[in-house]
Amino acid sequence: MAFHEVRFPDNISRGARGGPERRTQIVALSSGDEERNASWANSRRRYDVSYGVRRADDLAAVVAFFEARNGRLHGFRFKDWSDFKSCVPSVARGFADQPIGTGTGSNRFFQLAKTYASGAQSWTRAIVKPVAGTVRVALGGVEQLSGWTVDTTTGIVSFTTAPGSGVSVAAGFEFDVPVRFDSDSMDVNLDIERLGSITSIPLMEIRR
């Protein structure tokens, strides 16, 4: 089992359907009330990329990609066109879009993250597959053009010198979702007029 640092074809992923899912247990009481419990602390994303296959060449590209990943065995990158950067879709990526920590004077390593907020509630998602060349970093609201590096396979930002105690650390970035195929078979419909189609190509987010 390995993770292949290669992205699923963008022209096909652009037509995909899917998004986050959560697992909630609901127990209906005899009174008619109910109790709810979250089985998962974090959401997990599912996609179906069959909707992006529009041509025979797209079909061939998906089959080749599937074979190269050995079906469900190896993970890969996927661009979720509805959620792929540190800011809202209509805004240009900035250097202080997301807070990723506060300096202690000794800690040099910070995990990229994205916070989803609504009202007083929020949830923070670790970003582990940033896109190379898109990450920007700020200390105390000032962009840092040097003195740091980012590991695009883990999303860890490493500073040459640890940020001072109490200094806010923020970042802006684009990112991919680590996924795998959720089936070990390809159900290809060999329609002569349409030059072939696939009824479903499910992908599942990989969580560690």
Side-chain angles (χ1 to χ4, degrees):
M1 182 181 67
F3 189 90
H4 295 176
E5 294 291 338
V6 60
R7 183 193 273 180
F8 187 83
D10 285 352
N11 63 312
I12 301 175
S13 65
R14 196 177 186 94
R17 293 185 182 181
E21 70 167 345
R22 288 186 175 268
R23 185 66 54 83
T24 305
Q25 294 179 340
I26 300 177
V27 178
L29 306 179
S30 58
S31 64
D33 295 339
E34 64 180 26
E35 293 184 352
R36 297 180 300 278
N37 180 61
S39 299
W40 294 351
N42 298 303
S43 61
R44 188 177 196 180
R45 282 152 176 78
R46 287 180 180 268
Y47 306 96
D48 188 339
V49 295
S50 62
Y51 300 97
V53 177
R54 300 180 179 87
R55 304 174 302 140
D57 287 355
D58 294 340
L59 179 61
V62 170
V63 171
F65 197 92
F66 176 84
E67 293 285 23
R69 307 287 87 74
N70 285 5
R72 293 187 296 175
L73 184 62
H74 302 302
F76 53 93
R77 289 173 173 260
F78 177 80
K79 183 173 183 176
D80 181 345
W81 289 86
S82 68
D83 186 7
F84 68 93
K85 57 183 179 178
S86 53
C87 54
V88 296
S90 61
V91 176
R93 171 178 47 87
F95 55 78
D97 291 340
Q98 298 290 328
I100 61 172
T102 302
T104 63
S106 59
N107 181 28
R108 297 192 300 112
F109 306 102
F110 295 83
Q111 174 71 57
L112 290 179
K114 182 174 181 178
T115 299
Y116 299 77
S118 177
Q121 306 301 315
S122 65
W123 172 70
T124 300
R125 172 188 182 187
I127 301 300
V128 298
K129 297 296 178 184
V131 177
T134 69
V135 180
R136 302 172 68 183
V137 172
L139 292 178
V142 179
E143 183 170 16
Q144 305 297 301
L145 301 180
S146 61
W148 60 272
T149 58
V150 61
D151 186 337
T152 57
T153 68
T154 64
I156 299 293
V157 175
S158 303
F159 288 92
T160 303
T161 302
S165 180
V167 175
S168 62
V169 185
F173 45 82
E174 291 185 9
F175 62 94
D176 294 326
V177 183
V179 300
R180 60 167 173 79
F181 285 103
D182 200 29
S183 175
D184 274 326
S185 64
M186 279 283 179
D187 184 15
V188 181
N189 175 22
L190 299 178
D191 186 320
I192 296 177
E193 293 183 359
R194 296 181 60 193
L195 299 178
S197 64
I198 301 180
T199 56
S200 178
I201 311 172
L203 305 181
M204 172 72 76
E205 181 179 7
I206 297 172
R207 297 191 314 192
R208 292 188 174 90

